[in-house]
C-alpha cells in the first residue's frame, strides 16, 4: 500500500493534500504518515508472531516523541543508544522492560540512568565497558542484565559508513573473545548475562548477511552452553533495507523466514529486532520550496529551501532520494541539481536528476525521508531545524515546531 499518492494531480499523504501542509506550516517540513508507520511496524512484527520475540524500534532513526508514543501504543519496545534517547523513550511511555541500550560509548552517568529505569538489557561492546557497568551497578546495589554485542565479521554489502559487522569496525567484541567475557561476567556479581547481540549494518538488501551472522552466533551459543552459560535473548539488531530507488530489499516476511530458518533449533530464545529504517524510512517525506532556477555554463541548479542541515544523507553517503513535484504537472523535464542555501558545494539533495521544470514558490517532496532525516538534522549555517507534522487519514497535527531564531541561541551568553 502506498501512503503518498497523487489525487487529481496533487500529492497527498493519506487523505491530506501536502501543498496545504506546506503552505500552512512552511518549508522545509517533515510529514509523517501514521498509518504507514503503524503498518510497517506491523509488517515487521507479524512474521515473527509464532516465536517469542520483541521488536525494539531503533529510536535514532526518527525520535520525535509522538512517533515513540505510537511505538508505545503498539506495545513495542525501543533500542536506545544514549541517555537522551532513553529519556525520550521513557517520556513516551515505552515499557522500560522493553528497552535495550546499545552503543559503543556509554558513560557511567548514562548507565546509572538506565539501571534506575530498570531496562531489559545493556548491549555491551567491550571488556572495559563491562567492568564499568559492573562498578556502576555495584554502587547502586543492583544487578545489570547484559548481552554482549559481538562482531561476527560478516560483510553486509552496504555503504562503508553504515557497515558495522566487519572485523575492522569499532563495533562489538570479536566473536572469538566472547566466551572469555561471558565467563568474566559470571565472576562479577553485579552483572547477569542474559543475551547475545549483534548488528551488522544498515540498508541491507539481501538476507544472506543476516543468515551468515546467525550461523556464527549459533556456534557461539553452543560454545557458551558447553561452558554452562544459558541465555534468554538473541538480539539481531536492525538493518533491513528499504527501496529508495531501484533496490529490491527482502520483504519483512522473507527477512523473518531467513532468520528463523537460520536459527533452527535455537528457536527457544526470545528474538529481539531493532528496526529503524524499515519501520519509518518510507513513512515520511520532506517538503521543500523552490527558490530559484539558476543556469550556469555547465549546470542547471534548482535552489531550494531545504539543505544538508535538514537531510544530510545525500551529502554524507551519496544517497539517492526520489524527488517529485507536489503537483503532477506534465511540464517538460530537464536535468537539474537540487541544491540548498548552505555555503558548501556538498550541499545538495540530488545531482543530475531529470525533473519537470519548476518555478519559484512551487513545492517538491523528497521521498523516503523518514529514517535518519530529521534525526540527523542540525543548525549548521544557523538554520532552525524543520517542523514535523503527523498525518492520520484526513487529519494532521504539528508534532514539532519549527525552530526560531531565539531557539538558535538558547543557552548561549553574550559578553
Ligand atoms: N541497532 C543498532 C545497534 C544500530 O546501530 C542501528 C543503526 C539500528 C539498530 C537500526 O538500523 P536500521 O534498521 O535503521 O538499519 N544514518 C545512516 C544509518 C545509520 C545506522 C546506524 N545504526 C543512514 O542514514 O543511512
Amino acid at each position: 500500500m502506498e501512503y503518498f499518492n497523487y489525487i487529481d494531480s496533487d500529492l497527498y499523504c493519506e487523505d491530506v493534500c501536502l501543498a496545504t501542509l506546506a503552505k500552512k506550516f512552511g518549508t522545509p517540513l517533515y510529514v509523517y504518515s501514521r498509518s504507514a508507520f503503524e503498518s510497517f511496524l506491523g509488517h515487521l512484527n507479524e512474521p515473527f508472531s509464532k516465536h517469542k520475540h520483541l521488536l525494539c524500534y531503533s529510536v535514532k532513526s526518527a525520535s520525535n516523541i509522538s512517533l515513540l508514543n505510537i511505538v508505545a501504543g503498539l506495545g513495542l519496545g525501543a533500542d536506545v543508544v544514549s541517555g537522551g534517547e532513553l529519556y525520550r523513550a521513557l517520556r513516551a511511555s515505552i515499557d522500560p522492560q522493553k528497552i535495550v541500550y546499545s552503543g559503543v560509548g556509554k558513560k557511567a552517568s548514562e548507565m546509572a540512568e538506565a539501571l534506575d529505569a530498570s531496562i531489559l538489557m545493556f548491549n555491551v561492546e567491550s571488556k572495559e565497558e563491562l567492568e564499568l557497568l559492573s562498578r556502576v551497578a555495584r554502587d547502586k546495589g543492583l544487578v545489570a542484565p547484559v548481552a554482549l554485542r559481538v562482531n561476527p565479521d560478516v560483510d553486509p554489502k552496504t555503504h562503508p559508513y553504515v557497515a558495522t559487522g566487519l572485523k575492522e569496525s569499532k563495533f562489538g567484541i570479536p566473536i572469538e573473545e566472547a566466551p572469555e567475557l561471558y565467563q568474566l561476567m559470571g565472576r562479577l556479581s553485579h552483572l547477569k548475562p542474559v543475551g547475545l547481540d549483534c548488528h551488522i549494518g544498515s540498508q541491507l538488501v539481501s538476507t544472506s548477511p543476516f543468515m551468515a551472522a546467525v550461523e556464527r552466533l549459533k556456534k557461539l551459543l553452543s560454545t557458551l552452553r558447553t561452558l554452562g552459560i544459558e541465555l534468554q535473548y538473541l538480539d539481531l539488531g536492525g538493518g533491513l533495507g528499504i527501496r529508495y530507488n531501484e533496490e529490491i530489499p527482502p520483504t519483512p516476511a522473507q527477512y523473518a523466514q531467513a532468520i528463523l530458518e537460520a536459527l533452527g533449533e535455537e528457536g527457544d530464545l526470545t528474538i529481539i529486532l531493532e528496526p529503524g529504517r524499515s519501520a519509518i524510512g518510507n513513512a515520511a517525506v520532506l517538503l521543500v520550496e523552490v527558490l530559484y532556477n539558476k543556469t550556469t555554463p555547465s549546470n542547471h541548479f534548482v535552489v531550494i529551501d531545504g539543505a544538508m542541515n535538514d537531510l544530510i544523507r545525500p551529502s554524507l553517503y551519496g544517497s539517492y532520494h526520489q524527488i517529485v513535484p507536489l503537483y503532477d504537472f506534465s511540464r517538460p523535464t530537464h536535468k537539474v541539481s537540487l541544491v540548498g542555501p548552505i555555503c558548501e558545494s556538498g550541499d545538495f539533495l540530488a545531482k543530475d536528476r531529470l525533473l519537470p521544470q519548476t518555478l519559484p514558490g512551487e513545492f517538491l517532496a523528497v521521498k523516503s525521508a523518514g529514517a535518519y532525516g530529521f534525526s540527523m538534522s542540525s543548525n549548521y549555517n544557523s538554520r532552525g531545524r524543520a517542523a514535523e507534522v503527523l498525518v492520520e487519514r484526513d487529519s494532521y497535527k504539528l508534532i514539532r515546531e519549527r525552530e526560531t531564531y531565539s531557539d538558535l541561541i538558547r543557552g548561549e551568553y553574550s559578553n
Side-chain angles (χ1 to χ4, degrees):
M1 163 126 184
E2 230 335 304
Y3 296 89
F4 297 89
N5 293 306
Y6 286 101
I7 303 178
D8 292 338
S9 327
D10 279 312
L11 188 60
Y12 276 65
C13 171
E14 303 194 32
D15 299 329
V16 175
C17 173
L18 285 168
T20 309
L21 296 182
K23 284 177 201 145
K24 181 167 172 112
F25 297 106
T27 50
L29 181 72
Y30 277 93
V31 181
Y32 300 84
S33 155
R34 181 182 182 125
S35 307
F37 186 39
E38 286 184 336
S39 128
F40 296 155
L41 284 167
H43 287 153
L44 287 159
N45 207 21
E46 210 277 324
F48 288 96
S49 59
K50 290 209 182 84
H51 291 260
K52 282 181 283 177
H53 75 286
L54 175 64
L55 219 72
C56 292
Y57 170 67
S58 187
V59 171
K60 68 173 82 65
S61 56
S63 36
N64 187 294
I65 199 138
S66 285
L67 299 175
L68 301 182
N69 283 147
I70 295 173
V71 173
L74 294 172
L76 304 177
D79 156 52
V80 302
V81 292
S82 67
E85 286 192 354
L86 174 64
Y87 175 77
R88 281 181 179 279
L90 295 173
R91 282 292 294 267
S93 306
I94 292 179
D95 179 354
Q97 274 299 298
K98 293 182 178 171
I99 296 180
V100 295
Y101 190 167
S102 307
V104 74
K106 304 175 195 76
K107 296 176 75 159
S109 56
E110 294 175 309
M111 291 173 174
E113 287 155 18
L115 281 168
D116 286 341
S118 196
I119 64 162
L120 180 64
M121 68 184 190
F122 291 84
N123 291 340
V124 169
E125 303 217 15
S126 66
K127 182 168 183 245
E128 289 196 1
E129 184 190 336
L130 205 57
E131 289 164 345
L132 177 60
L133 181 59
S134 171
R135 289 199 296 277
V136 176
R138 185 197 57 208
D139 291 350
K140 290 188 163 288
L142 294 171
V143 175
V146 174
L148 287 189
R149 174 172 177 179
V150 297
N151 183 329
D153 190 19
V154 165
D155 185 355
K157 299 195 169 54
T158 183
H159 190 284
Y161 289 5
V162 298
T164 49
L166 283 165
K167 69 171 179 292
E168 40 300 337
S169 107
K170 70 174 176 179
F171 296 100
I173 290 159
I175 196 157
E176 51 295 345
E177 292 172 23
E180 197 187 317
L181 289 188
Y182 276 103
Q183 286 176 302
L184 170 68
M185 250 193 272
R187 296 196 294 273
L188 296 171
S189 54
H190 292 279
L191 300 180
K192 181 175 183 226
V194 295
L196 173 61
D197 167 52
C198 83
H199 167 79
I200 56 173
S202 198
Q203 184 56 11
L204 272 66
V205 290
S206 143
T207 52
S208 44
F210 291 114
M211 294 174 86
V214 170
E215 289 302 335
R216 289 183 195 177
L217 297 188
K218 266 171 56 176
K219 281 206 188 101
L220 174 57
L221 284 167
S222 81
T223 307
L224 293 178
R225 220 166 271 135
T226 61
L227 297 170
I229 299 162
E230 286 287 345
L231 302 173
Q232 250 177 292
Y233 300 104
L234 181 62
D235 183 340
L236 297 172
L240 180 62
I242 60 167
R243 183 166 194 155
Y244 285 97
N245 187 13
E246 283 169 347
E247 306 91 331
I248 305 179
T251 62
Q254 290 165 337
Y255 165 71
Q257 196 192 348
I259 285 178
L260 295 174
E261 212 174 280
L263 262 181
E265 73 283 6
E266 296 287 357
D268 222 28
L269 291 161
T270 298
I271 302 167
I272 296 180
L273 300 152
E274 304 171 353
R277 192 189 313 267
S278 51
I280 192 72
N282 275 325
V285 294
L286 170 64
L287 303 183
V288 297
E289 182 180 335
V290 175
L291 300 178
Y292 308 106
N293 280 289
K294 174 170 174 175
T295 305
T296 66
S298 48
N299 258 315
H300 188 95
F301 294 105
V302 176
V303 185
I304 52 179
D305 67 351
M308 66 191 286
N309 76 299
D310 301 301
L311 179 67
I312 202 171
R313 304 193 68 258
S315 309
L316 190 58
Y317 316 114
S319 329
Y320 180 99
H321 285 260
Q322 204 187 339
I323 299 181
V324 295
L326 288 204
Y327 334 94
D328 182 19
F329 37 73
S330 30
R331 295 189 200 144
T333 55
H334 61 169
K335 215 178 231 182
V336 297
S337 289
L338 276 120
V339 299
I342 281 185
C343 306
E344 299 222 17
S345 295
D347 178 28
F348 58 87
L349 293 190
K351 277 191 167 164
D352 297 330
R353 199 65 75 75
L354 217 49
L355 268 180
Q357 280 168 358
T358 48
L359 300 172
E362 292 179 339
F363 300 114
L364 298 169
V366 183
K367 297 186 87 176
S368 312
Y372 311 105
F374 185 88
S375 65
M376 290 182 82
S377 65
S378 77
N379 291 126
Y380 188 37
N381 276 210
S382 285
R383 287 166 53 84
R385 282 181 295 168
E388 297 180 285
V389 166
L390 180 66
V391 167
E392 184 178 11
R393 291 188 286 275
D394 59 355
S395 66
Y396 54 82
K397 70 171 183 182
L398 186 65
I399 56 170
R400 193 179 210 276
E401 287 176 8
R402 182 173 305 287
E403 287 181 345
T404 62
Y405 292 155
S406 59
D407 290 333
L408 290 177
I409 58 165
R410 193 176 71 83
E412 293 181 23
Y413 299 103
S414 47
N415 292 319

